[in-house]
Amino acid sequence: MRRSRGQAAALALTLAGTGAVVGLGLVPQAAAVTPPVAFTADALPTWQPNGIVWALAEAGGTVFVGGTFSAVRPPAGGAGGEQSAVNFAALDAATGAPTSCTLSFTIGSGTATVRALTLSPDKKTLYAGGYFGAVNGTPVSSMAAIDVATCTVKPSFRPAFAATVRAIAVTGDTVYAGGDFLTVSGQPRQRFAAVAAGDGALRPFTANADEPGRAVEVTPDGRNVLLGGDFFTVNGTNTHALAVVDSATGALTKGYPGFIETNSVVKDIATDATGFYTANEGTGGGVFDGRIALNLSDFNQRWRDTCLGATQAVLPYRNVLYSASHAHDCSSVGEYPDGQRHHLLAQPTTSVGKLGWAPDTNDGVGEGIGPRVMTVGSAGGAQYLWVGGEFTTVNGAAQQSLTRFSSTGDTGAPTVPLASAASVQPGEVQVRWRTSLDLDDSALTYRIYRNGAATPIGTVTADSLFFKRPQASWTDTTAQPGQSYTYRVTATDAAGNTSALSAPASVTVPTSPEAYANQVRADGAQLYWRYDDTVLPYVADSSTGDQAGVDQNGPALRQGPGAVAGASTAIGFNGTDAHVYGDRRQTVGATYSIETWFRTNTTRGGKLVGFGSRQINGSSQYDKHVYMTDDGRLVYGVYTGATRTITTAAAFNDDKWHHVVATQGPGGMTLYVDGVQRGTLNVTTHENYTGYWRVGFDGLGGWPDRPASEHWAGLMDETAVYPTVLTAAQVQNHYALASAPADATVQVTAAEDTYANAGAPDANYGTSASLAVRGTSLYTSYLRFALPAAPAGKVLKSATLSVKTSTMAGAGTTDTVSVVPVTGAWTEAGTTYANRPGTGAPALGAFPGIPDGSAVHTAGLNTATVAGALGGSYSLALTSAGTDALWLWSSEAAAGEATPRLTLTFGAP
């Protein structure tokens, strides 16, 4: 089929951010979808055939559809009833509804089908090929010419093809065909032939092939014809599945013996101004199922995409190659591993890397192939990408055999980010999230909101694809020590479609650095999984490397206590199928260190941590790993053509926490356990391959003392990977810091709260959902907290009060609100303005004005005063001298993120 030729598309590169952006590069930005993608992934309402669509072509805003079907019906919820359509339909490109053009392709016996539709260069004549004997009763023989203006058969065009025609290409005076036929108009022509465009008279062109032809395309200069199919010879010369022949004679211009695997064929060929592209399908093992780009200048390969999952059609359009396949394994080109089928993909015409366009279908009926053909139609200034095949769903919704996507009107919002927050040192919070999925935008804008504010505190632009959703992060450098914050994140695409807010991520900023975690970061970790995550499947990276992990098969989250005193939780693996894999494909340099904490009593061994070539299943390449033998010894190994290992003499499956570090560099390999060197090996090399960091499982075949299980059963914590060799002193320091006393944070919500109102002296507001503060006329709010005693050996290091403004218009205040001690007795149920308690001085803290908008606000309190009240009941009042009222949620309100609370941080004296 003739394809649209590409046009240049510019890329605009931007980066947006506030605060400190970690690990993000420049990404493209577009007005509707991310360039160079030209179409949204939103399927438009389209009439649907009741069978299989094999062929598409477009002229003047009408899309012609050919296949094996008997009727078309409206899309789900569409108006109208089923209409007869015998193997052919003409639909409006802009509406997807039938036009007045109706043609029936029939045959006396057997099943008629239309397999190819192609327009003449002037788009006045539609050529149809397939297996049929008549069109609207006019006798033809598997090929017909249709006058587009009148929707009638041209009786003067009468070639006779003796079997199915599967592909057609047209120049100004010649129609080229490929298929199953052995004769044309009674003359020998095996699988490829050419006839006159006017009357169908047979041309001298001879390109005889030994097996069926499936694709025909003329080069833009008209000198050569590109042939694709099942064949192994053309005109007696070896060339499998692909050939270039002279357009006048059919003589072989270039053959491709051994170029495509013998059990693979070419299903489609398309051209643009500089090259041509093949869609390939294989059967059995060792097949080639992907796409090849070749240059028109020399007919040699430009690139080869070796994804597995038979490709049926290719369409270059504006420097992007769109393809229809059921690609299920693109690991060979560094993309997604074997698994789910993806039926519609896009990539630059210059490379194999996939772009951010991934609408999807199912396999459907027939052979279960999914989509089979594509074309572009234009109407009303918009372009429409039409896709046909044998699918029965599009983007999860029922739709059979035919769908379309527009160049305008992107309506799909990105998925909701999965966010978390962490702080390991004063004045800094790392907010991080797994990037969202948008099927037609790879560059998304993320906005970070703090404490429920309506205005974002930070903005980040980051890239993601359906198979590559890396962590993005933003660092809040305005967070105050000892204060608690909540963060939420949204994702917005180029068209302005915005996801819902992420679930709140809460954090309390420490008043002093968290010793262990801060040191790991300071020593240069570029992957740091602390396993504090609250929901599956995202494992946040606490380093600056943004190398998140993904949980597989539901490991147990937030197991405690963790390995580091007073700090993070651990993750639990069941020894059967659970593990964590990194979502970034990479190579490992000549120097690295692997660190983790573990706890187990297993007698079946297993992989603790290592580097493997796959993410989910067992890897085919695996080394740079630490595993446990059945008797509890640890093994650190690399592969250099042979396995090279260090093994501990002692066992460590005693159900206690242990620390292991494995390093390799110019000085060789070193293994440490619990801060002590346990062995060295003078090996400075390892296997060089691209892969992923894995925790809890991977292959161990061929390694010494291979355990009974490759899956780890036990707890893991604080996994880190460094691009350097940790020194013995650094390792010993990490081990020691893990047991150092850590700060402890306690949050206490108000046990009672109410307010007094000078305008209603006898009214009690103890059951109100609101609190109020104003100087004139007076509102005063009262809060009572049951304070815990300080933990043994620790003192109060900081105290903060958090309140949340209500959703009432004007709930904020321009006045300073003071936090003062209460000197008199009061109760929530009995306090009124008339009997309100007294307040004291000096103020414990203050809110220097609070903006409108429902959000959490925090004020630091005098630590010494609060410390003196620990272990008992303590009352605070909120007062103001101004006339601008402040309205807050009380403890009776259902304000999900925060009602009045104290955050107390305890630490070593």
Side-chain angles (χ1 to χ4, degrees), residues 1-5 117-119 167-171 176-178 192 205 214-228 242-247 266 268-272 275-278 296 299 314-316:
M1 277 180 267
R2 179 71 62 185
R3 305 297 194 209
S4 301
R5 296 181 185 176
L117 293 171
T118 305
L119 273 300
I168 299 175
V170 184
T171 63
Y176 297 90
F192 294 101
F205 175 92
R214 298 182 182 272
V216 180
E217 184 64 89
V218 181
T219 58
D221 62 11
R223 296 179 180 177
N224 293 282
V225 179
L226 312 169
L227 309 179
L242 182 65
V244 182
V245 299
D246 183 89
S247 62
V266 169
D268 189 24
I269 299 175
T271 64
D272 62 13
F276 66 100
Y277 310 88
T278 68
L296 286 171
F299 304 124
V314 284
L315 172 61

Tab-separated table of all heavy atoms in Angstrom, residues 1-5 117-119 167-171 176-178 192 205 214-228 242-247 266 268-272 275-278 296 299 314-316:
chain	number	residue	atom	x	y	z
A	1	MET	N	0.822	-1.191	0.000
A	1	MET	CA	0.000	0.000	0.000
A	1	MET	C	0.863	1.251	0.000
A	1	MET	O	1.916	1.291	0.617
A	1	MET	CB	-0.900	0.018	1.230
A	1	MET	CG	-2.158	-0.785	1.058
A	1	MET	SD	-3.132	-0.693	2.531
A	1	MET	CE	-2.517	-2.135	3.348
A	2	ARG	N	0.402	2.266	-0.695
A	2	ARG	CA	1.107	3.539	-0.695
A	2	ARG	C	0.959	4.195	0.668
A	2	ARG	O	-0.118	4.238	1.238
A	2	ARG	CB	0.522	4.436	-1.783
A	2	ARG	CG	1.151	5.804	-1.868
A	2	ARG	CD	2.572	5.759	-2.409
A	2	ARG	NE	2.597	5.238	-3.767
A	2	ARG	CZ	3.713	5.001	-4.420
A	2	ARG	NH1	4.876	5.180	-3.830
A	2	ARG	NH2	3.677	4.539	-5.644
A	3	ARG	N	2.055	4.710	1.190
A	3	ARG	CA	2.016	5.343	2.506
A	3	ARG	C	2.333	6.834	2.375
A	3	ARG	O	2.971	7.267	1.422
A	3	ARG	CB	3.046	4.713	3.458
A	3	ARG	CG	2.904	3.207	3.607
A	3	ARG	CD	1.575	2.849	4.212
A	3	ARG	NE	1.597	1.458	4.659
A	3	ARG	CZ	0.538	0.697	4.708
A	3	ARG	NH1	-0.633	1.149	4.332
A	3	ARG	NH2	0.626	-0.538	5.161
A	4	SER	N	1.923	7.596	3.351
A	4	SER	CA	2.247	9.019	3.386
A	4	SER	C	3.733	9.206	3.621
A	4	SER	O	4.345	8.490	4.403
A	4	SER	CB	1.465	9.719	4.498
A	4	SER	OG	0.077	9.573	4.296
A	5	ARG	N	4.302	10.166	2.975
A	5	ARG	CA	5.709	10.431	3.172
A	5	ARG	C	5.909	11.389	4.325
A	5	ARG	O	5.107	12.286	4.566
A	5	ARG	CB	6.321	11.014	1.896
A	5	ARG	CG	6.256	10.008	0.738
A	5	ARG	CD	6.870	10.560	-0.510
A	5	ARG	NE	6.681	9.614	-1.624
A	5	ARG	CZ	7.065	9.875	-2.858
A	5	ARG	NH1	7.627	11.021	-3.158
A	5	ARG	NH2	6.864	8.979	-3.806
A	117	LEU	N	-6.109	-2.260	-0.795
A	117	LEU	CA	-6.749	-1.066	-1.341
A	117	LEU	C	-5.673	-0.003	-1.520
A	117	LEU	O	-4.947	0.315	-0.566
A	117	LEU	CB	-7.832	-0.541	-0.405
A	117	LEU	CG	-9.084	-1.399	-0.209
A	117	LEU	CD1	-9.931	-0.836	0.916
A	117	LEU	CD2	-9.890	-1.503	-1.496
A	118	THR	N	-5.558	0.560	-2.702
A	118	THR	CA	-4.548	1.575	-2.971
A	118	THR	C	-5.109	2.603	-3.948
A	118	THR	O	-5.768	2.236	-4.932
A	118	THR	CB	-3.266	0.956	-3.551
A	118	THR	OG1	-2.797	-0.062	-2.663
A	118	THR	CG2	-2.183	1.997	-3.719
A	119	LEU	N	-4.841	3.873	-3.708
A	119	LEU	CA	-5.279	4.961	-4.576
A	119	LEU	C	-4.244	5.238	-5.658
A	119	LEU	O	-3.035	5.087	-5.442
A	119	LEU	CB	-5.505	6.232	-3.767
A	119	LEU	CG	-6.873	6.474	-3.108
A	119	LEU	CD1	-7.984	6.524	-4.146
A	119	LEU	CD2	-7.155	5.459	-2.051
A	167	ALA	N	-1.404	-7.521	-2.166
A	167	ALA	CA	-0.765	-6.212	-2.067
A	167	ALA	C	-0.810	-5.524	-3.422
A	167	ALA	O	-0.710	-6.174	-4.466
A	167	ALA	CB	0.684	-6.359	-1.602
A	168	ILE	N	-0.952	-4.194	-3.394
A	168	ILE	CA	-1.002	-3.393	-4.618
A	168	ILE	C	-0.188	-2.121	-4.399
A	168	ILE	O	-0.247	-1.507	-3.324
A	168	ILE	CB	-2.451	-3.005	-4.979
A	168	ILE	CG1	-3.316	-4.243	-5.230
A	168	ILE	CG2	-2.485	-2.085	-6.191
A	168	ILE	CD1	-4.769	-3.924	-5.459
A	169	ALA	N	0.539	-1.706	-5.433
A	169	ALA	CA	1.184	-0.398	-5.487
A	169	ALA	C	0.911	0.194	-6.859
A	169	ALA	O	0.856	-0.534	-7.856
A	169	ALA	CB	2.679	-0.513	-5.234
A	170	VAL	N	0.728	1.518	-6.944
A	170	VAL	CA	0.300	2.157	-8.180
A	170	VAL	C	1.190	3.349	-8.498
A	170	VAL	O	1.495	4.171	-7.624
A	170	VAL	CB	-1.168	2.626	-8.073
A	170	VAL	CG1	-1.641	3.197	-9.406
A	170	VAL	CG2	-2.076	1.494	-7.628
A	171	THR	N	1.609	3.441	-9.776
A	171	THR	CA	2.238	4.660	-10.298
A	171	THR	C	1.237	5.299	-11.258
A	171	THR	O	0.070	4.906	-11.317
A	171	THR	CB	3.546	4.325	-11.016
A	171	THR	OG1	3.263	3.494	-12.165
A	171	THR	CG2	4.504	3.591	-10.092
A	176	TYR	N	1.132	-2.526	-9.713
A	176	TYR	CA	1.926	-3.676	-9.326
A	176	TYR	C	1.157	-4.471	-8.281
A	176	TYR	O	0.507	-3.898	-7.406
A	176	TYR	CB	3.277	-3.240	-8.745
A	176	TYR	CG	4.145	-2.503	-9.737
A	176	TYR	CD1	4.059	-1.113	-9.852
A	176	TYR	CD2	5.030	-3.186	-10.561
A	176	TYR	CE1	4.851	-0.418	-10.766
A	176	TYR	CE2	5.829	-2.500	-11.477
A	176	TYR	CZ	5.731	-1.126	-11.567
A	176	TYR	OH	6.505	-0.451	-12.485
A	177	ALA	N	1.237	-5.783	-8.366
A	177	ALA	CA	0.475	-6.640	-7.461
A	177	ALA	C	1.343	-7.777	-6.949
A	177	ALA	O	2.245	-8.261	-7.643
A	177	ALA	CB	-0.752	-7.206	-8.166
A	178	GLY	N	1.048	-8.198	-5.722
A	178	GLY	CA	1.674	-9.373	-5.141
A	178	GLY	C	0.624	-10.235	-4.490
A	178	GLY	O	-0.404	-9.737	-4.032
A	192	PHE	N	4.126	-12.124	-8.315
A	192	PHE	CA	4.237	-10.687	-8.545
A	192	PHE	C	3.992	-10.402	-10.013
A	192	PHE	O	4.389	-11.186	-10.888
A	192	PHE	CB	5.610	-10.148	-8.134
A	192	PHE	CG	5.874	-10.241	-6.656
A	192	PHE	CD1	6.655	-11.260	-6.148
A	192	PHE	CD2	5.332	-9.314	-5.788
A	192	PHE	CE1	6.890	-11.364	-4.789
A	192	PHE	CE2	5.558	-9.417	-4.416
A	192	PHE	CZ	6.340	-10.432	-3.918
A	205	PHE	N	6.867	-6.720	-17.062
A	205	PHE	CA	7.477	-6.862	-15.738
A	205	PHE	C	7.343	-8.303	-15.249
A	205	PHE	O	6.246	-8.848	-15.149
A	205	PHE	CB	6.775	-5.901	-14.778
A	205	PHE	CG	7.199	-6.006	-13.324
A	205	PHE	CD1	8.222	-5.218	-12.830
A	205	PHE	CD2	6.555	-6.877	-12.462
A	205	PHE	CE1	8.580	-5.286	-11.495
A	205	PHE	CE2	6.911	-6.961	-11.131
A	205	PHE	CZ	7.937	-6.159	-10.646
A	214	ARG	N	3.448	-10.698	-0.350
A	214	ARG	CA	2.559	-10.055	0.621
A	214	ARG	C	2.681	-8.540	0.650
A	214	ARG	O	1.816	-7.867	1.235
A	214	ARG	CB	2.848	-10.606	2.019
A	214	ARG	CG	2.592	-12.105	2.149
A	214	ARG	CD	2.838	-12.586	3.557
A	214	ARG	NE	2.634	-14.025	3.677
A	214	ARG	CZ	1.464	-14.605	3.947
A	214	ARG	NH1	0.380	-13.854	4.078
A	214	ARG	NH2	1.363	-15.916	4.049
A	215	ALA	N	3.711	-7.984	0.051
A	215	ALA	CA	3.908	-6.535	0.096
A	215	ALA	C	4.551	-6.059	-1.195
A	215	ALA	O	5.454	-6.717	-1.731
A	215	ALA	CB	4.784	-6.152	1.283
A	216	VAL	N	4.081	-4.931	-1.705
A	216	VAL	CA	4.631	-4.299	-2.909
A	216	VAL	C	4.653	-2.801	-2.664
A	216	VAL	O	3.673	-2.225	-2.192
A	216	VAL	CB	3.784	-4.603	-4.159
A	216	VAL	CG1	4.386	-3.921	-5.377
A	216	VAL	CG2	3.656	-6.088	-4.391
A	217	GLU	N	5.749	-2.172	-2.992
A	217	GLU	CA	5.856	-0.721	-2.865
A	217	GLU	C	6.819	-0.215	-3.924
A	217	GLU	O	7.853	-0.854	-4.197
A	217	GLU	CB	6.360	-0.347	-1.478
A	217	GLU	CG	6.425	1.130	-1.199
A	217	GLU	CD	5.062	1.794	-1.209
A	217	GLU	OE1	4.400	1.848	-0.173
A	217	GLU	OE2	4.663	2.254	-2.299
A	218	VAL	N	6.493	0.914	-4.550
A	218	VAL	CA	7.350	1.527	-5.553
A	218	VAL	C	8.212	2.583	-4.869
A	218	VAL	O	7.719	3.363	-4.041
A	218	VAL	CB	6.509	2.158	-6.683
A	218	VAL	CG1	7.421	2.780	-7.743
A	218	VAL	CG2	5.592	1.126	-7.309
A	219	THR	N	9.502	2.629	-5.224
A	219	THR	CA	10.364	3.650	-4.642
A	219	THR	C	9.919	5.031	-5.129
A	219	THR	O	9.336	5.167	-6.212
A	219	THR	CB	11.833	3.410	-5.011
A	219	THR	OG1	11.960	3.393	-6.446
A	219	THR	CG2	12.326	2.094	-4.446
A	220	PRO	N	10.153	6.085	-4.343
A	220	PRO	CA	9.674	7.417	-4.722
A	220	PRO	C	10.157	7.887	-6.091
A	220	PRO	O	9.453	8.662	-6.748
A	220	PRO	CB	10.218	8.304	-3.599
A	220	PRO	CG	10.306	7.402	-2.413
A	220	PRO	CD	10.719	6.074	-2.978
A	221	ASP	N	11.335	7.421	-6.521
A	221	ASP	CA	11.814	7.845	-7.850
A	221	ASP	C	11.203	7.023	-8.975
A	221	ASP	O	11.453	7.299	-10.157
A	221	ASP	CB	13.340	7.795	-7.915
A	221	ASP	CG	13.910	6.391	-7.700
A	221	ASP	OD1	13.141	5.406	-7.694
A	221	ASP	OD2	15.137	6.281	-7.525
A	222	GLY	N	10.425	5.996	-8.662
A	222	GLY	CA	9.751	5.193	-9.669
A	222	GLY	C	10.628	4.176	-10.371
A	222	GLY	O	10.136	3.424	-11.227
A	223	ARG	N	11.887	4.064	-10.008
A	223	ARG	CA	12.802	3.197	-10.747
A	223	ARG	C	12.772	1.747	-10.284
A	223	ARG	O	13.117	0.843	-11.040
A	223	ARG	CB	14.230	3.728	-10.618
A	223	ARG	CG	14.451	5.094	-11.245
A	223	ARG	CD	15.880	5.553	-11.042
A	223	ARG	NE	16.104	6.869	-11.630
A	223	ARG	CZ	17.255	7.533	-11.556
A	223	ARG	NH1	18.289	6.990	-10.886
A	223	ARG	NH2	17.372	8.716	-12.113
A	224	ASN	N	12.397	1.552	-9.045
A	224	ASN	CA	12.454	0.201	-8.485
A	224	ASN	C	11.158	-0.121	-7.742
A	224	ASN	O	10.411	0.774	-7.340
A	224	ASN	CB	13.636	0.063	-7.528
A	224	ASN	CG	14.972	0.146	-8.239
A	224	ASN	OD1	15.401	-0.826	-8.865
A	224	ASN	ND2	15.634	1.296	-8.143
A	225	VAL	N	10.941	-1.440	-7.590
A	225	VAL	CA	9.801	-1.931	-6.834
A	225	VAL	C	10.332	-2.784	-5.688
A	225	VAL	O	11.227	-3.625	-5.887
A	225	VAL	CB	8.847	-2.747	-7.724
A	225	VAL	CG1	7.674	-3.277	-6.895
A	225	VAL	CG2	8.342	-1.906	-8.874
A	226	LEU	N	9.806	-2.562	-4.516
A	226	LEU	CA	10.192	-3.309	-3.320
A	226	LEU	C	9.194	-4.437	-3.121
A	226	LEU	O	7.986	-4.213	-3.098
A	226	LEU	CB	10.190	-2.385	-2.108
A	226	LEU	CG	10.913	-1.044	-2.290
A	226	LEU	CD1	10.628	-0.110	-1.127
A	226	LEU	CD2	12.410	-1.266	-2.450
A	227	LEU	N	9.706	-5.635	-2.978
A	227	LEU	CA	8.861	-6.818	-2.850
A	227	LEU	C	9.058	-7.452	-1.486
A	227	LEU	O	10.186	-7.572	-0.999
A	227	LEU	CB	9.205	-7.852	-3.925
A	227	LEU	CG	9.267	-7.385	-5.380
A	227	LEU	CD1	9.644	-8.541	-6.294
A	227	LEU	CD2	7.939	-6.757	-5.799
A	228	GLY	N	7.966	-7.886	-0.878
A	228	GLY	CA	8.035	-8.602	0.384
A	228	GLY	C	7.120	-9.800	0.362
A	228	GLY	O	6.103	-9.811	-0.340
A	242	LEU	N	12.517	-10.500	1.035
A	242	LEU	CA	12.668	-9.108	0.623
A	242	LEU	C	13.511	-9.040	-0.642
A	242	LEU	O	14.504	-9.761	-0.765
A	242	LEU	CB	13.333	-8.298	1.746
A	242	LEU	CG	13.532	-6.804	1.523
A	242	LEU	CD1	12.187	-6.087	1.412
A	242	LEU	CD2	14.366	-6.196	2.645
A	243	ALA	N	13.110	-8.177	-1.587
A	243	ALA	CA	13.879	-7.994	-2.817
A	243	ALA	C	13.587	-6.619	-3.378
A	243	ALA	O	12.515	-6.051	-3.160
A	243	ALA	CB	13.536	-9.066	-3.841
A	244	VAL	N	14.563	-6.074	-4.105
A	244	VAL	CA	14.380	-4.846	-4.870
A	244	VAL	C	14.551	-5.200	-6.335
A	244	VAL	O	15.559	-5.806	-6.718
A	244	VAL	CB	15.401	-3.765	-4.464
A	244	VAL	CG1	15.145	-2.471	-5.242
A	244	VAL	CG2	15.360	-3.503	-2.970
A	245	VAL	N	13.545	-4.859	-7.163
A	245	VAL	CA	13.590	-5.205	-8.583
A	245	VAL	C	13.365	-3.961	-9.423
A	245	VAL	O	12.799	-2.963	-8.957
A	245	VAL	CB	12.535	-6.279	-8.936
A	245	VAL	CG1	12.799	-7.559	-8.152
A	245	VAL	CG2	11.126	-5.776	-8.688
A	246	ASP	N	13.787	-4.039	-10.697
A	246	ASP	CA	13.594	-2.955	-11.643
A	246	ASP	C	12.107	-2.786	-11.934
A	246	ASP	O	11.404	-3.763	-12.189
A	246	ASP	CB	14.367	-3.253	-12.929
A	246	ASP	CG	14.271	-2.121	-13.933
A	246	ASP	OD1	15.107	-1.218	-13.874
A	246	ASP	OD2	13.343	-2.167	-14.759
A	247	SER	N	11.624	-1.542	-11.931
A	247	SER	CA	10.193	-1.308	-12.083
A	247	SER	C	9.692	-1.606	-13.485
A	247	SER	O	8.489	-1.846	-13.668
A	247	SER	CB	9.856	0.143	-11.709
A	247	SER	OG	10.526	1.048	-12.581
A	266	VAL	N	8.036	-11.105	5.285
A	266	VAL	CA	7.708	-9.685	5.262
A	266	VAL	C	6.223	-9.535	4.971
A	266	VAL	O	5.739	-10.007	3.943
A	266	VAL	CB	8.551	-8.935	4.214
A	266	VAL	CG1	8.019	-7.515	4.013
A	266	VAL	CG2	10.010	-8.887	4.635
A	268	ASP	N	4.539	-6.365	5.220
A	268	ASP	CA	4.203	-5.033	4.727
A	268	ASP	C	5.486	-4.272	4.468
A	268	ASP	O	6.519	-4.511	5.117
A	268	ASP	CB	3.340	-4.297	5.758
A	268	ASP	CG	2.764	-2.992	5.229
A	268	ASP	OD1	2.629	-2.858	3.996
A	268	ASP	OD2	2.444	-2.107	6.045
A	269	ILE	N	5.432	-3.346	3.501
A	269	ILE	CA	6.533	-2.441	3.194
A	269	ILE	C	5.944	-1.050	3.028
A	269	ILE	O	4.882	-0.884	2.425
A	269	ILE	CB	7.285	-2.847	1.908
A	269	ILE	CG1	7.905	-4.239	2.058
A	269	ILE	CG2	8.374	-1.827	1.572
A	269	ILE	CD1	8.558	-4.757	0.786
A	270	ALA	N	6.618	-0.044	3.558
A	270	ALA	CA	6.200	1.339	3.390
A	270	ALA	C	7.430	2.204	3.163
A	270	ALA	O	8.525	1.868	3.614
A	270	ALA	CB	5.435	1.823	4.617
A	271	THR	N	7.251	3.331	2.463
A	271	THR	CA	8.365	4.212	2.143
A	271	THR	C	8.111	5.619	2.646
A	271	THR	O	6.972	6.035	2.847
A	271	THR	CB	8.610	4.286	0.624
A	271	THR	OG1	7.474	4.881	-0.001
A	271	THR	CG2	8.862	2.914	0.037
A	272	ASP	N	9.198	6.362	2.832
A	272	ASP	CA	9.126	7.805	2.979
A	272	ASP	C	10.195	8.401	2.076
A	272	ASP	O	10.697	7.720	1.173
A	272	ASP	CB	9.252	8.245	4.431
A	272	ASP	CG	10.577	7.876	5.076
A	272	ASP	OD1	11.527	7.490	4.351
A	272	ASP	OD2	10.676	7.968	6.324
A	275	GLY	N	13.768	6.445	3.032
A	275	GLY	CA	13.967	5.034	3.303
A	275	GLY	C	12.717	4.211	3.086
A	275	GLY	O	11.659	4.711	2.694
A	276	PHE	N	12.869	2.910	3.341
A	276	PHE	CA	11.705	2.034	3.346
A	276	PHE	C	11.787	1.127	4.564
A	276	PHE	O	12.857	0.914	5.146
A	276	PHE	CB	11.546	1.265	2.035
A	276	PHE	CG	12.619	0.260	1.715
A	276	PHE	CD1	12.420	-1.101	1.946
A	276	PHE	CD2	13.813	0.657	1.132
A	276	PHE	CE1	13.384	-2.037	1.619
A	276	PHE	CE2	14.783	-0.270	0.801
A	276	PHE	CZ	14.576	-1.623	1.045
A	277	TYR	N	10.623	0.608	4.962
A	277	TYR	CA	10.464	-0.065	6.249
A	277	TYR	C	9.700	-1.353	6.034
A	277	TYR	O	8.743	-1.392	5.261
A	277	TYR	CB	9.720	0.851	7.231
A	277	TYR	CG	10.337	2.230	7.292
A	277	TYR	CD1	9.935	3.221	6.399
A	277	TYR	CD2	11.348	2.526	8.196
A	277	TYR	CE1	10.523	4.473	6.409
A	277	TYR	CE2	11.938	3.777	8.226
A	277	TYR	CZ	11.528	4.755	7.325
A	277	TYR	OH	12.122	5.990	7.331
A	278	THR	N	10.119	-2.388	6.720
A	278	THR	CA	9.463	-3.681	6.576
A	278	THR	C	8.807	-4.093	7.884
A	278	THR	O	9.321	-3.821	8.973
A	278	THR	CB	10.462	-4.772	6.156
A	278	THR	OG1	11.384	-5.017	7.229
A	278	THR	CG2	11.230	-4.376	4.906
A	296	LEU	N	16.980	4.318	1.006
A	296	LEU	CA	16.672	4.290	-0.425
A	296	LEU	C	17.918	4.535	-1.270
A	296	LEU	O	17.954	4.138	-2.439
A	296	LEU	CB	15.621	5.355	-0.742
A	296	LEU	CG	14.193	5.035	-0.292
A	296	LEU	CD1	13.296	6.245	-0.463
A	296	LEU	CD2	13.642	3.842	-1.069
A	299	PHE	N	19.806	0.877	-0.467
A	299	PHE	CA	18.976	-0.276	-0.091
A	299	PHE	C	19.580	-1.106	1.034
A	299	PHE	O	19.212	-2.270	1.228
A	299	PHE	CB	18.683	-1.165	-1.308
A	299	PHE	CG	18.039	-0.434	-2.444
A	299	PHE	CD1	18.605	-0.434	-3.715
A	299	PHE	CD2	16.855	0.269	-2.253
A	299	PHE	CE1	18.011	0.248	-4.754
A	299	PHE	CE2	16.249	0.952	-3.293
A	299	PHE	CZ	16.822	0.954	-4.559
A	314	VAL	N	3.371	-1.287	8.842
A	314	VAL	CA	4.211	-0.153	9.208
A	314	VAL	C	3.722	1.068	8.439
A	314	VAL	O	3.276	0.960	7.290
A	314	VAL	CB	5.705	-0.406	8.909
A	314	VAL	CG1	6.314	-1.338	9.930
A	314	VAL	CG2	5.903	-0.961	7.500
A	315	LEU	N	3.819	2.242	9.080
A	315	LEU	CA	3.342	3.479	8.458
A	315	LEU	C	4.230	4.636	8.898
A	315	LEU	O	4.131	5.113	10.031
A	315	LEU	CB	1.896	3.754	8.871
A	315	LEU	CG	1.311	5.105	8.454
A	315	LEU	CD1	1.310	5.247	6.942
A	315	LEU	CD2	-0.092	5.271	8.998
A	316	PRO	N	5.134	5.104	8.006
A	316	PRO	CA	5.919	6.291	8.346
A	316	PRO	C	5.093	7.550	8.103
A	316	PRO	O	4.467	7.716	7.049
A	316	PRO	CB	7.107	6.215	7.385
A	316	PRO	CG	6.610	5.435	6.211
A	316	PRO	CD	5.540	4.511	6.718
